[in-house]
Amino acid sequence: MRYPKKGLVEIYPKFVVKSTSTDLMIRGGDFYAVWVEDDRRWSTNEQDVIDMIDRELEAFAKSYRAAEDSKVHVMYMWDAETGMIDRWHKYCQKQMRDNFHQLDEKLIFDNTDVKKRDYASKKLPYPLLNCDTPAYDRLISTLYSEEERHKIEWAIGSIVNGDSKKLQKFVVLYGPPGSGKGTVLDMIDRLFDGYTTTFSAKNLGMAGAQFALEPFKDSPLVALQMDGDLSRIEDNSRLNALVSHEKMVVNEKHKTQYTARFKTFLFLGTNKPVKITDAKSGLLRRLIDVTPSGNKVPEREYNKLKKQLEFELPGIAWKCKQVYEDDPEYYSNYIPERMVSVTNDFYNFVIDHYYELSEGEGITLKQAWEMYKNWCEESKMQYPLNKRQFKDELMNYYIEFKERGMVDGAQARSVYLGFKEDIFKKKEVNVGREGDREENSGVEWLQFDCEESLFDKEFGECKAQEAGSDGKPTTKWDNVCTKLKDIDTRNVHYVQLPPEIVTIDFDIPDEDGNKSLEKNIKAAQKWPETYAELSKSGSGIHLHYLYDGDINELSSLYDEHIEVKLMIGNSSLRRRLTRCNNLPIAKLSSGLKRKEKKRMINMEAFKNEQKLREFIESCLEKKHHGHTAPEVNFIYDKLEECYASDLKYDVTDMRQRILNFAASSHNQSGECIKKVNKMKFHSEEFSDKKAVMDEIIFYDVEIFPNLFLVNWKVQGEGKKVVRMINPTPTDIEKLLEYKLVGFNCRRYDNHILYARLMGYT
């Protein structure tokens, strides 16, 4: 607000430069996204920012007009003549630095509860539900065999599950025109509407295509090309890096270059095979090839079935998710045999001479070279390998190469030993046949077959106490003398473990919201082998590790329904021994998530607890945002900042008022109440201050000219009276930590104390 001349007030937006912002994102030196509280989503549309700023300007101008008798001119963003839009662009492009989190890396279904930290700017127009899919089943089972259908559903399921961001795989649908490739790709496009993009596979394989990554600038979850071409790859490094989700430098037209890691799953339809240059090609272990069966559905029925797919999207997504979760590692060692045989001539040479190469102890380079020359002549190879290239390529199919060695009982030079038959045997397992599928290749280490606990022996000397009738500790930890070995661990109890012990708590629910032991075992099985117990409920799992690092840097949240319990301060572990395994506690040094860096608090704004209370009061009066939900979030953020600072405070007595305020929200009361339950209403120093707060202080106030006296004493006989002469605000602040009872006080004595606290004389 400024006053260009008498009687005129100009109201305009002021843009503050901050190192980080939780509501505005800058990427590549320009606006990227803004949080829209009313819609509970992030928006990449710059017009939304303009509209929000203009609404705030209008609201402020309206309240100012009501209070002041002045002419008001509002400098709206939409009005180009005010120049505010130019200031905004300068602010984003020149004054702010890149600060962004990639949006839409998680699928949001119509029945998903969206949070700010989900970084979602969109959601799918359908829920995730278990329902029948007759049209889909009829169509997909006709166009593809069971083996090929499994590949498609496994890939789609990995995206629905969320694991596609970690998988280093991409799918190529290879077959003649009109065989069903486009049908599947079109269905995938509709399944993930808003989360897809189109790309050029040819550009990804061209060394000179500097803008090849531009289609991925918004980091879509799925990238599709209906009719692509990877038959002539000049350089596969960019494609390999993209599929592997490595950090890459992105070059957009007319934009500053930036580094990003794309978590996109690629689907490509093609009539030409993908070029697999040699056995060392990175594409060999990343490619999943899908071939149509050649069967077709009558055209009239096909059109009807394709239309019905729109009504079966929830069930298709659900079904594919189940296929993937049945065995997420199903295609870990998959080899696209057909694609290799079509494009790799040397692989065909080895296949044609499989028995000659695999028989005996080994083969010499001379013998193999003669076989290769004859094969090239018979096959009319246009560009055969020279002998040096042949020598190197053949090494990929043998375990060992020696300059001198024994072959068939005779000494020979340049000898290949140990033919890798497993390369060719594994392909029979990985093509997806039901009978050949490997039975759980992972070691099933998580067995709860013991009742005697190694945990009880290891931590028998640690402080422990049995829980009370309400399930909570009954005694302050400073006063606990019992140890774990002294109590019955088959009852609910609490134990204080050494700080280097971390416990991973698995509480994954089933479809009905109840804890699922089966799902928890499946999730915990992927962690390193260690001592494990069933939780108190019998359906959750606790994995215990010895962490080799600073536990203060760890985040307590690993994933949804997976918590990392840290023994910090007076923290303790709630436990009840039922069943466990007999493995020792393993050491863990990596893999856990770390806390985000703590933000600095402006201590000029919060010099003491009283200032914090005033801030909370202003939030309860909706002075900052005008709506309940953002005010609750504002209180939460400030309490987080205060807790991270050196400020000593305790506003626990305001909790009920804040909770009532949160419950009054019309549209987001549930989320607001959850937020209040997470608030830190006192600093860490106040955690065990119950004894101090329980003491009652009797006080009296006397006021004379230039003299202010406060006399007080702790309740009880023999306690001395303390006389404070002209006390400072700091002295009064310490006194207010206690429960105060006035002794023959006048009505305004309490006001005098608070006036002195605020620095008034």
Side-chain angles (χ1 to χ4, degrees):
M1 191 166 59
R2 59 193 177 195
Y3 307 89
K5 60 182 180 180
K6 188 176 181 179
L8 177 64
V9 176
E10 284 185 350
I11 297 175
Y12 64 96
K14 184 176 182 179
F15 304 113
V16 181
V17 177
K18 296 178 65 177
S19 59
T20 58
S21 173
T22 58
D23 295 311
L24 177 66
M25 297 187 191
I26 304 295
R27 187 181 76 172
D30 206 348
F31 168 80
Y32 175 45
V34 67
W35 172 250
V36 183
E37 179 65 31
D38 293 340
D39 298 338
R40 303 296 299 170
R41 66 177 179 87
W42 289 88
S43 172
T44 56
N45 186 356
E46 194 172 12
Q47 186 62 42
D48 286 334
V49 187
I50 297 172
D51 293 341
M52 285 192 294
I53 295 175
D54 284 345
R55 282 197 299 269
E56 292 296 324
L57 291 173
E58 177 62 30
F60 182 80
K62 184 177 180 180
S63 62
Y64 186 83
R65 289 190 185 102
E68 302 289 340
D69 185 18
S70 301
K71 185 179 180 181
V72 176
H73 175 55
V74 183
M75 312 283 279
Y76 289 110
M77 294 276 287
W78 61 261
D79 189 352
E81 293 183 0
T82 64
M84 294 300 109
I85 190 67
D86 298 324
R87 286 193 179 186
W88 164 255
H89 289 149
K90 179 182 178 181
Y91 173 71
C92 293
Q93 297 170 2
K94 295 183 179 180
Q95 296 175 331
M96 290 289 284
R97 296 293 178 263
D98 277 12
N99 168 42
F100 69 94
H101 187 290
Q102 190 63 53
L103 297 178
D104 301 314
E105 292 185 330
K106 174 183 177 182
L107 278 180
I108 304 295
F109 291 90
D110 192 46
N111 57 348
T112 303
D113 184 22
V114 183
K115 300 178 178 60
K116 188 175 182 179
R117 64 176 178 269
D118 289 330
Y119 297 102
S121 68
K122 62 194 73 168
K123 64 164 54 177
L124 292 169
Y126 63 89
L128 182 63
L129 296 174
N130 183 10
C131 54
D132 295 333
T133 57
Y136 166 77
D137 293 335
R138 163 72 173 136
L139 195 59
I140 199 74
S141 60
T142 302
L143 299 177
Y144 294 88
S145 66
E146 286 300 313
E147 298 172 0
E148 306 303 294
R149 173 182 176 174
H150 185 274
K151 297 176 185 177
I152 296 170
E153 293 179 343
W154 183 91
I156 294 174
S158 71
I159 301 169
V160 178
N161 173 274
D163 284 353
S164 63
K165 300 187 288 288
K166 299 177 288 186
L167 296 176
Q168 298 185 16
K169 298 288 183 182
F170 73 106
V171 171
V172 173
L173 289 89
Y174 168 59
S179 57
K181 305 186 301 296
T183 302
V184 171
L185 294 177
D186 182 64
M187 181 191 70
I188 294 173
D189 192 27
R190 282 188 282 174
L191 267 174
F192 305 112
D193 182 30
Y195 292 87
T196 66
T197 189
T198 57
F199 73 104
S200 172
K202 187 175 182 180
N203 286 344
L204 290 178
M206 290 176 59
Q210 57 178 324
F211 301 118
L213 294 176
E214 189 167 8
F216 303 91
K217 61 184 179 181
D218 294 324
S219 192
L221 289 179
V222 181
L224 305 165
Q225 186 174 19
M226 298 294 180
D227 189 9
D229 186 2
L230 283 175
S231 60
R232 296 185 179 182
I233 302 176
E234 298 176 7
D235 181 8
N236 63 12
S237 59
R238 185 187 289 124
L239 180 58
N240 280 327
L242 181 63
V243 175
S244 302
H245 315 300
E246 299 173 2
K247 284 188 176 181
M248 307 173 71
V249 177
V250 183
N251 189 9
E252 292 185 43
K253 294 179 182 177
H254 315 300
K255 291 283 186 73
T256 304
Q257 291 185 3
Y258 59 92
T259 302
R261 188 194 305 272
F262 300 117
K263 300 178 181 180
T264 309
F265 198 103
L266 305 184
F267 288 89
L268 172 68
T270 182
N271 304 329
K272 301 177 181 178
V274 178
K275 182 180 180 182
I276 307 295
T277 53
D278 52 56
K280 295 188 179 73
S281 173
L283 300 180
L284 188 63
R285 64 179 182 275
R286 296 182 173 94
L287 170 65
I288 299 177
D289 57 335
V290 180
T291 306
S293 63
N295 300 325
K296 295 184 179 181
V297 178
E299 185 175 357
R300 180 174 296 181
E301 183 185 4
Y302 171 81
N303 293 331
K304 180 181 178 182
L305 293 174
K306 192 173 181 182
K307 181 66 177 177
Q308 290 176 348
L309 289 180
E310 297 179 6
F311 304 101
E312 297 181 358
L313 295 180
I316 296 172
W318 178 277
K319 182 173 292 187
C320 293
K321 183 173 182 285
Q322 305 311 309
V323 170
Y324 172 78
E325 291 179 349
D326 282 346
D327 191 352
E329 308 296 329
Y330 195 89
Y331 294 101
S332 295
N333 301 314
Y334 179 76
I335 297 175
E337 178 194 8
R338 178 173 180 179
M339 200 68 71
V340 175
S341 64
V342 172
T343 60
N344 192 324
D345 293 325
F346 196 88
Y347 180 86
N348 287 305
F349 159 73
V350 176
I351 288 292
D352 288 348
H353 295 82
Y354 176 84
Y355 294 106
E356 294 94 322
L357 296 173
S358 60
E359 287 180 350
E361 300 176 356
I363 193 171
T364 65
L365 173 61
K366 183 177 181 180
Q367 292 171 330
W369 175 245
E370 290 298 325
M371 293 164 57
Y372 179 71
K373 287 194 298 182
N374 294 333
W375 182 83
C376 290
E377 186 176 346
E378 293 175 0
S379 305
K380 301 190 181 299
M381 277 277 293
Q382 188 174 3
Y383 301 106
L385 302 177
N386 59 41
K387 191 172 184 179
R388 178 188 59 79
Q389 295 170 328
F390 174 84
K391 176 182 178 181
D392 181 66
E393 186 65 21
L394 189 59
M395 288 182 184
N396 296 315
Y397 296 89
Y398 283 88
I399 299 174
E400 189 178 10
F401 173 81
K402 290 185 176 182
E403 291 297 336
R404 293 179 180 275
M406 298 291 293
V407 176
D408 297 332
Q411 190 76 13
R413 292 180 61 88
S414 300
V415 175
Y416 295 91
L417 301 174
F419 185 71
K420 296 180 180 178
E421 297 183 11
D422 56 332
I423 294 178
F424 305 91
K425 289 181 179 179
K426 278 188 177 180
K427 69 180 186 297
E428 296 297 332
V429 173
N430 286 318
V431 294
R433 293 176 182 170
E434 193 68 30
D436 294 336
R437 185 171 172 178
E438 287 183 325
E439 289 295 326
N440 202 351
S441 58
V443 179
E444 295 290 348
W445 65 270
L446 196 57
Q447 300 288 338
F448 298 99
D449 50 5
C450 294
E451 295 185 359
E452 185 177 355
S453 172
L454 295 175
F455 184 97
D456 289 351
K457 296 179 182 179
E458 183 74 21
F459 302 111
E461 297 297 326
C462 292
K463 281 186 177 182
Q465 60 176 305
E466 292 194 5
S469 58
D470 59 354
K472 297 180 180 179
T474 57
T475 310
K476 231 176 114 176
W477 281 109
D478 291 340
N479 301 327
V480 172
C481 298
T482 55
K483 298 180 180 180
L484 187 64
K485 64 181 181 181
D486 301 326
I487 64 176
D488 185 357
T489 58
R490 297 196 175 276
N491 297 327
V492 179
H493 62 279
Y494 290 80
V495 57
Q496 281 194 328
L497 299 174
E500 61 271 14
I501 298 297
V502 296
T503 302
I504 316 301
D505 185 9
F506 294 83
D507 285 321
I508 303 174
D510 56 19
E511 290 74 16
D512 298 326
N514 302 317
K515 287 185 185 179
S516 170
L517 179 60
E518 181 183 353
K519 289 192 174 185
N520 284 319
I521 289 177
K522 184 178 287 188
Q525 182 74 32
K526 300 176 183 178
W527 286 65
E529 298 182 18
T530 190
Y531 176 80
E533 294 180 335
L534 293 181
S535 66
K536 184 177 74 71
S537 65
S539 298
I541 293 175
H542 287 170
L543 300 184
H544 300 281
Y545 292 97
L546 177 64
Y547 185 69
D548 185 13
D550 186 359
I551 63 169
N552 295 302
E553 296 181 356
L554 297 180
S555 170
S556 60
L557 183 64
Y558 178 81
D559 202 350
E560 192 173 11
H561 307 299
I562 301 177
E563 181 185 359
V564 180
K565 293 185 177 295
L566 305 173
M567 300 297 108
I568 298 176
N570 273 333
S571 299
S572 58
L573 177 68
R574 186 174 66 169
R575 176 174 177 262
R576 181 170 73 90
L577 178 63
T578 53
R579 289 186 294 159
C580 58
N581 64 6
N582 61 353
L583 296 177
I585 296 177
K587 182 178 288 188
L588 197 65
S589 57
S590 63
L592 298 179
K593 293 184 178 180
R594 297 179 178 270
K595 293 179 182 176
E596 295 183 1
K597 291 186 178 180
K598 294 180 179 178
R599 295 173 289 175
M600 297 298 293
I601 180 174
N602 181 5
M603 294 309 296
E604 292 299 319
F606 295 94
K607 293 181 179 178
N608 52 45
E609 180 183 308
Q610 185 61 29
K611 293 292 185 182
L612 176 58
R613 289 177 176 274
E614 291 176 359
F615 165 77
I616 294 175
E617 291 286 354
S618 66
C619 290
L620 297 179
E621 295 174 7
K622 300 183 181 180
K623 290 185 176 180
H624 304 99
H625 302 91
H627 299 283
T628 304
E631 294 289 359
V632 171
N633 289 331
F634 206 10
I635 296 173
Y636 174 82
D637 291 340
K638 289 303 177 186
L639 288 177
E640 287 290 311
E641 292 176 354
C642 289
Y643 189 82
S645 72
D646 296 329
L647 178 66
K648 296 179 177 60
Y649 70 95
D650 185 0
V651 292
T652 309
D653 57 308
M654 302 187 74
R655 183 184 186 281
Q656 189 59 46
R657 289 183 59 199
I658 299 173
L659 186 61
N660 294 340
F661 177 72
S664 68
S665 174
H666 293 294
N667 301 319
Q668 302 177 44
S669 59
E671 286 300 316
C672 290
I673 291 173
K674 289 180 182 178
K675 205 71 150 180
V676 174
N677 291 333
K678 296 179 182 178
M679 289 181 182
K680 296 180 174 66
F681 289 100
H682 55 73
S683 56
E684 194 170 354
E685 290 80 359
F686 283 82
S687 297
D688 291 321
K689 214 167 182 184
K690 188 173 183 294
V692 174
M693 301 302 292
D694 282 343
E695 290 186 318
I696 296 177
I697 299 292
F698 293 94
Y699 79 97
D700 189 19
V701 175
E702 298 290 346
I703 302 174
F704 303 96
N706 298 321
L707 179 62
F708 175 52
L709 298 177
V710 179
N711 302 317
W712 61 271
K713 71 178 290 291
V714 179
Q715 182 185 24
E717 295 183 5
K719 302 290 185 179
K720 293 183 178 180
V721 176
V722 179
R723 171 166 291 180
M724 303 170 68
I725 302 174
N726 290 332
T728 65
T730 303
D731 295 330
I732 298 297
E733 183 180 10
K734 292 179 180 178
L735 180 61
L736 292 176
E737 293 178 357
Y738 298 85
K739 293 180 178 179
L740 299 180
V741 176
F743 177 75
N744 197 23
C745 288
R746 286 173 291 183
R747 295 172 60 186
Y748 55 83
D749 282 352
N750 287 334
H751 299 291
I752 295 173
L753 282 181
Y754 281 102
R756 176 65 62 163
L757 173 66
M758 300 303 297
Y760 297 107
T761 58

